[in-house]
Amino acid sequence: MKFLKTPIEGAHVIELERREDQRGFLARLFCEHDFTAAGLEGRFVQINNSTSLRKGIVRGLHYQAPPHAEVKVMRVIRGAVFDVVVDVRRGSPTFGRWFGAELTAENRRMMYSPRGFAHGFLSLTDDVEVIYMASAFYAPGFERGVRFDDPKVGVEWPIRPSEVSDKDRSWPDLDPAVHAVDVEGAA
């Protein structure tokens, strides 16, 4: 695996290293040793599966507050998404900044979203399927979010979102007094 740093400290795009022959290829999706050697979380407690039936569906921007803050590693297995992380770490020099990357079934890239980052994605095709690992169990009382179209964050979605859940529409705009989280290793 290749761990590619992003402009926001802690977030990474992960590219698979394929070993190919006439039959096809083999690539690791996860190796605890590789993740920890790169300074990343190497323990995950859940693997989740999500589908989006139509192009233009936004999911997010979500995170869990401490003590249930989580790392997520996203991988598209069908279709394509624009995957976004937003830094909400208290005291971080990049607080409120976002980074996005296209993840597709074909490019097999993954997004590493560290603790203290809100995460979301936009389906770029119909019939999208995503799997993702989480380092903490889902804790409904600690779920938080930032509105997907918050002008202070300014995510530049590559296509216009056409469908957003009521819950995701109702998240507040980014406010350091509300959203800034203290996480281990925050900048």
Side-chain angles (χ1 to χ4, degrees):
M1 286 173 280
K2 296 179 188 172
F3 298 94
L4 308 175
K5 293 182 178 185
T6 70
I8 303 176
E9 184 65 35
H12 290 75
V13 171
I14 302 168
E15 290 186 347
L16 304 182
E17 292 183 296
R18 295 163 44 142
R19 299 196 186 352
E20 298 184 56
D21 64 21
Q22 70 280 2
R23 300 167 296 164
F25 76 88
L26 171 79
R28 286 187 187 162
L29 293 177
F30 173 75
C31 175
E32 181 180 4
H33 294 294
D34 291 351
F35 271 63
T36 57
L40 305 178
E41 176 70 39
R43 179 179 177 270
F44 296 92
V45 298
Q46 286 184 189
I47 299 176
N48 301 313
N49 191 206
S50 168
T51 64
S52 296
L53 300 177
R54 290 169 297 285
K55 178 179 180 176
I57 295 175
V58 169
R59 296 183 181 274
L61 303 160
H62 310 135
Y63 65 98
Q64 288 193 161
H68 301 282
E70 65 185 341
V71 171
K72 291 180 183 174
V73 178
M74 304 294 295
R75 166 80 157 75
V76 172
I77 59 172
R78 188 173 56 239
V81 304
F82 185 67
D83 201 73
V84 173
V85 294
V86 178
D87 187 351
V88 296
R89 298 171 295 176
R90 185 180 318 280
S92 171
T94 55
F95 180 86
R97 285 190 44 204
W98 67 275
F99 172 80
E102 189 171 312
L103 308 181
T104 71
E106 289 76 26
N107 73 20
R108 295 179 174 85
R109 287 181 158 190
M110 298 186 291
M111 178 74 81
Y112 180 91
S113 177
R115 284 180 187 81
F117 280 63
H119 172 267
F121 61 89
L122 170 70
S123 58
L124 299 176
T125 62
D126 291 338
D127 197 25
V128 169
E129 188 167 4
V130 174
I131 57 172
Y132 65 96
M133 299 185 300
S135 67
F137 295 106
Y138 177 63
F142 292 84
E143 184 178 19
R144 306 286 187 273
V146 176
R147 210 175 74 241
F148 76 100
D149 60 353
D150 177 352
K152 289 181 241 165
V153 176
V155 173
E156 296 174 12
W157 300 104
I159 62 172
R160 183 184 169 121
S162 59
E163 194 170 337
V164 182
S165 72
D166 290 340
K167 180 169 107 175
D168 287 347
R169 282 190 189 285
S170 69
W171 292 120
D173 286 349
L174 185 66
D175 178 349
V178 173
H179 293 99
V181 296
D182 293 311
V183 293
E184 193 175 310

